[in-house]
């Protein structure tokens, strides 16, 4: 006769959102370097996702070291305010004049330009030697466009994408260690804890 089981099961699953975003940024960067076709779009998305995983980590750290009532208020702060508040909380003196923390502002400038994106119009006005047999639009010096702000397009390149990923990674590693937290968070995208008290009966 077979036996059937009733089991009281309880448990939880933890999803490290910042790790999923970090993995996405890393894979996009790798793909852009290995496959030049459409690489600008991949660098752009990797750079944007670097900002996302850094922002998600600040939320992760806040949930770890700040009591829930206080965090509910802090969570509405900007990323700049969160970083300052968390650094003050863990008593860390960061160097804003050198990498990686120098890159924080650049990362979120890029992020904000795209997240709050709007149609932009750039103008050019001046004397420039042109070939009368070629369309004027093809002869405008690219520097004329890139020099006008804000211009997120001018920020997109391999070197900047690599810098964003490397410095965002370094920043979260520094903050995590300074806060005295376990490295386990960096080794798992997610994990579950399931327990049960198995009860058997004849069926």
């Amino acid at each position: 006769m077979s036996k059937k089981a009733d089991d009281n099961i309880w448990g939880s699953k933890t999803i490290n959102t910042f790790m999923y975003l970090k993995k996405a940024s890393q894979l996009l960067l790798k793909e852009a370097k290995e496959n030049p076709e459409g690489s600008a779009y991949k660098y752009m998305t990797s750079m944007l996702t670097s900002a996302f995983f850094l922002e998600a980590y600040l939320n992760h750290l806040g949930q770890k070291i700040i009591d829930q009532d206080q965090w509910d208020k802090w969570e509405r702060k900007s990323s700049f305010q969160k970083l300052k508040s968390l650094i003050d909380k863990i008593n860390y003196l960061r160097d804003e004049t050198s990498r990686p923390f120098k890159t924080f502002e650049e990362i979120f400038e890029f992020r904000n330009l795209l997240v709050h994106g709007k149609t932009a119009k750039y103008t050019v006005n001046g004397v420039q030697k042109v070939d009368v047999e070629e369309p004027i639009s093809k002869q405008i010096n690219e520097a004329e466009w890139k020099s006008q702000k804000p211009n997120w397009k001018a920020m997109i390149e391999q070197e900047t994408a690599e810098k964003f990923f490397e410095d965002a990674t370094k920043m979260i590693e520094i903050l995590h260690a300074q806060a005295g937290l376990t490295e386990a968070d960096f080794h798992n995208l997610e994990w579950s804890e399931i327990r049960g008290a198995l009860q058997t009966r004849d069926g």
Side-chain angles (χ1 to χ4, degrees):
M1 184 178 294
S2 65
K3 289 186 176 181
K4 296 181 180 180
D6 291 329
D7 199 4
N8 295 319
I9 297 175
W10 63 97
S12 64
K13 173 179 281 191
T14 299
I15 299 175
N16 275 342
T17 303
F18 79 92
M19 284 298 294
Y20 273 99
L21 292 167
K22 180 175 180 290
K23 187 70 172 178
S25 179
Q26 184 179 35
L27 290 174
L28 285 162
L29 183 58
K30 181 175 182 290
E31 173 64 21
K33 289 191 287 187
E34 293 177 352
N35 184 6
E37 184 177 356
S39 60
Y41 295 102
K42 296 165 191 171
Y43 286 132
M44 176 180 72
T45 310
S46 174
M47 291 164 67
L48 189 58
T49 312
S50 288
F52 289 164
F53 87 70
L54 178 53
E55 188 171 11
Y57 178 77
L58 297 180
N59 292 333
H60 173 84
L61 180 59
Q63 289 175 299
K64 291 276 191 179
I65 67 174
I66 298 172
D67 66 78
Q68 189 61 49
D69 289 340
Q70 190 178 15
W71 178 247
D72 288 341
K73 298 176 182 177
W74 283 24
E75 194 171 15
R76 293 189 288 271
K77 293 183 176 184
S78 70
S79 297
F80 299 97
Q81 292 171 322
K82 284 179 185 176
L83 177 65
K84 183 179 185 308
S85 296
L86 291 169
I87 280 179
D88 289 343
K89 181 73 175 178
I90 62 177
N91 296 314
Y92 177 69
L93 183 62
R94 74 186 186 279
D95 180 1
E96 296 179 334
T97 65
S98 61
R99 294 176 61 183
F101 285 96
K102 182 181 180 181
T103 312
F104 188 92
E105 184 175 353
E106 187 180 354
I107 289 173
F108 282 96
E109 177 191 8
F110 182 79
R111 177 254 190 216
N112 290 339
L113 285 172
L114 287 177
V115 170
H116 305 292
K118 62 189 74 171
T119 301
K121 183 177 182 179
Y122 301 102
T123 60
V124 60
N125 184 21
V127 177
Q128 181 174 320
K129 290 186 180 297
V130 297
D131 185 337
V132 296
E133 296 181 358
E134 289 289 330
I136 294 295
S137 60
K138 292 184 178 181
Q139 301 182 62
I140 299 298
N141 189 339
E142 185 66 17
E144 290 285 342
W145 305 123
K146 288 188 174 183
S147 65
Q148 298 183 51
K149 301 292 184 179
N151 194 344
W152 52 264
K153 287 184 66 179
M155 301 173 72
I156 298 172
E157 55 186 12
Q158 178 178 335
E159 182 180 347
T160 307
E162 290 173 335
K163 180 175 69 173
F164 277 20
F165 179 79
E166 292 168 4
D167 287 3
T169 298
K170 188 63 176 177
M171 280 185 270
I172 69 175
E173 289 175 348
I174 290 172
L175 295 173
H176 204 75
Q178 185 68 23
L181 300 178
T182 174
E183 291 187 8
D185 289 348
F186 293 110
H187 300 309
N188 300 287
L189 297 174
E190 59 183 67
W191 65 88
S192 300
E193 181 182 0
I194 306 295
R195 289 179 291 173
L198 187 63
Q199 300 173 352
T200 61
R201 72 170 190 270
D202 290 339

